[in-house]
């Protein structure tokens, strides 16, 4: 049973603070350092109540406090007035003193406890950009005018909890992590004019290296398949037609 007494609840409060410094690094490069601090108080969360017979009862309270800290360093460069490149690294921490999410779909029986949030990512690096593909003037026009775009991300795996056969929490919540995530997307784009409108064909691969970045895990410590990781984005071919407006 999930019980709510609205007369006992208050509006949660949140505070965000961000500081940034940007500096020209020369040769068209710009660097930026950003610090982000978020604090949440009196957040809503369910807490276990006294059991009555075979009933497991949970009540909604203002008992959750969140904190998020992130330091991000980025470098970017624009060239030829339209092409851009960016790379950035983020060191962050996302935690709360009540991280268990009780639900009927994914039951878990344990006292509410603190730990990293489900989306906590201590380390994250990403880079993206696009640039023209060199092509000799002697090539047919159909083979010229392409733009290469890429996006790469690698980060820490998300945390997850461990339970036993009776859905009882084993150890601290979110004490394990998925393997690290890695993905590289490569696409070619070519713009053209049709009916006095500008369009662009884009085709390429998501996760072109077919790196295994699972997002499903068997977290039952009593199961023979404990810590079996599955799921995740496989290599995929994508084709897209974009409308860019009038020429």
């Amino acid at each position: 049973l999930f019980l709510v007494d609205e007369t006992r609840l208050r509006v949660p409060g949140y505070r965000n603070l961000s500081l940034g410094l940007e500096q020209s690094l020369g040769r068209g490069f710009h660097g930026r350092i950003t610090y982000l601090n978020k604090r949440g108080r009196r957040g809503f969360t369910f807490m276990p109540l006294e059991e009555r017979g075979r009933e497991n009862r949970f009540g909604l309270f203002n008992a959750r406090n969140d904190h998020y800290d992130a330091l991000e360093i980025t470098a970017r460069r624009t060239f030829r007035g339209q092409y851009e490149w960016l790379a950035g690294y983020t060191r962050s921490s996302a935690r709360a003193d009540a991280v268990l999410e009780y639900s009927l779909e994914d039951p878990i029986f344990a006292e509410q406890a603190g730990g990293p949030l489900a989306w906590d990512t201590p380390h994250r690096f990403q880079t993206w950009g696009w640039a023209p593909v060199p092509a000799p003037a002697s090539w047919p026009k159909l083979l010229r005018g392409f733009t290469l775009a890429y996006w790469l991300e690698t980060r820490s795996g998300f945390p997850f909890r461990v339970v036993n056969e009776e859905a009882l929490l084993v150890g601290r919540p979110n004490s394990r992590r998925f393997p690290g995530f890695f993905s590289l997307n490569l696409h070619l784009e070519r713009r053209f004019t049709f009916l006095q409108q500008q369009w662009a064909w884009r085709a390429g691969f998501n996760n072109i290296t077919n790196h295994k970045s699972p997002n499903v895990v068997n977290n039952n410590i009593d199961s023979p398949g404990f810590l079996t990781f599955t799921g995740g984005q496989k290599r995929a071919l994508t084709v897209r037609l974009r409308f860019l407006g009038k020429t």
Side-chain angles (χ1 to χ4, degrees):
L1 298 178
F2 292 88
L3 308 176
V4 178
D5 183 357
E6 297 183 5
T7 62
R8 301 178 57 181
L9 298 177
R10 301 171 59 192
V11 177
Y14 296 90
R15 184 205 69 198
N16 295 336
L17 170 67
S18 61
L19 300 172
L21 175 64
E22 187 166 355
Q23 175 68 38
S24 174
L25 304 177
R27 296 181 178 270
F29 287 91
H30 289 80
R32 181 179 178 88
I33 298 178
T34 304
Y35 171 69
L36 181 60
N37 175 286
K38 295 183 178 182
R39 292 293 183 267
R41 299 176 59 247
R42 303 188 307 273
F44 295 132
T45 188
F46 281 99
M47 305 285 288
L49 302 176
E50 181 181 355
E51 295 186 15
R52 291 184 179 179
R54 299 179 61 183
E55 293 180 349
N56 289 282
R57 304 164 67 245
F58 302 90
L60 188 64
F61 295 93
N62 290 105
R64 172 168 164 164
N65 299 291
D66 301 350
H67 69 265
Y68 176 74
D69 294 278
L71 180 66
E72 182 179 19
I73 302 174
T74 61
R76 62 180 176 85
R77 185 176 188 269
T78 301
F79 52 99
R80 293 192 182 182
Q82 57 178 323
Y83 302 108
E84 192 168 356
W85 171 87
L86 181 143
Y89 168 76
T90 304
R91 179 73 170 93
S92 64
S93 174
R95 294 183 173 270
D97 55 12
V99 297
L100 294 179
E101 300 288 345
Y102 303 105
S103 69
L104 296 176
E105 294 79 12
D106 186 19
I108 180 173
F109 304 109
E111 292 295 323
Q112 187 62 266
L117 293 169
W119 48 273
D120 178 57
T121 312
H123 302 280
R124 183 189 184 206
F125 173 81
Q126 65 174 340
T127 175
W128 54 263
W130 66 92
V133 178
S138 59
W139 284 17
K141 185 177 181 180
L142 185 63
L143 299 179
R144 290 181 281 124
F146 283 92
T147 299
L148 176 66
Y150 83 94
W151 176 82
L152 182 148
E153 179 183 11
T154 180
R155 58 166 172 78
S156 306
F158 291 137
F160 65 91
R161 61 176 181 260
V162 176
V163 297
N164 63 16
E165 193 67 33
E166 287 74 37
L168 295 172
L169 180 68
V170 177
R172 300 291 299 174
N174 293 343
S175 57
R176 303 266 189 147
R177 286 188 178 272
F178 282 90
F181 176 89
F182 177 87
S183 182
L184 172 62
N185 301 344
L186 285 178
H187 294 87
L188 280 175
E189 182 175 276
R190 190 178 190 280
R191 299 187 178 188
F192 64 95
T193 301
F194 179 69
L195 296 179
Q196 298 183 344
Q197 306 291 329
Q198 193 170 30
W199 306 75
W201 276 111
R202 173 174 287 200
F205 289 92
N206 293 341
N207 191 20
I208 192 172
T209 63
N210 204 31
H211 188 274
K212 294 182 179 179
S213 300
N215 55 12
V216 178
V217 62
N218 183 340
N219 65 338
N220 184 348
I221 198 172
D222 295 326
S223 169
F226 177 56
L227 293 186
T228 298
F229 296 95
T230 58
Q233 172 71 61
K234 297 182 179 180
R235 183 190 297 118
L237 172 66
T238 64
V239 179
R240 183 173 61 179
L241 176 63
R242 295 198 301 151
F243 173 66
L244 304 178
K246 292 185 177 181
T247 56

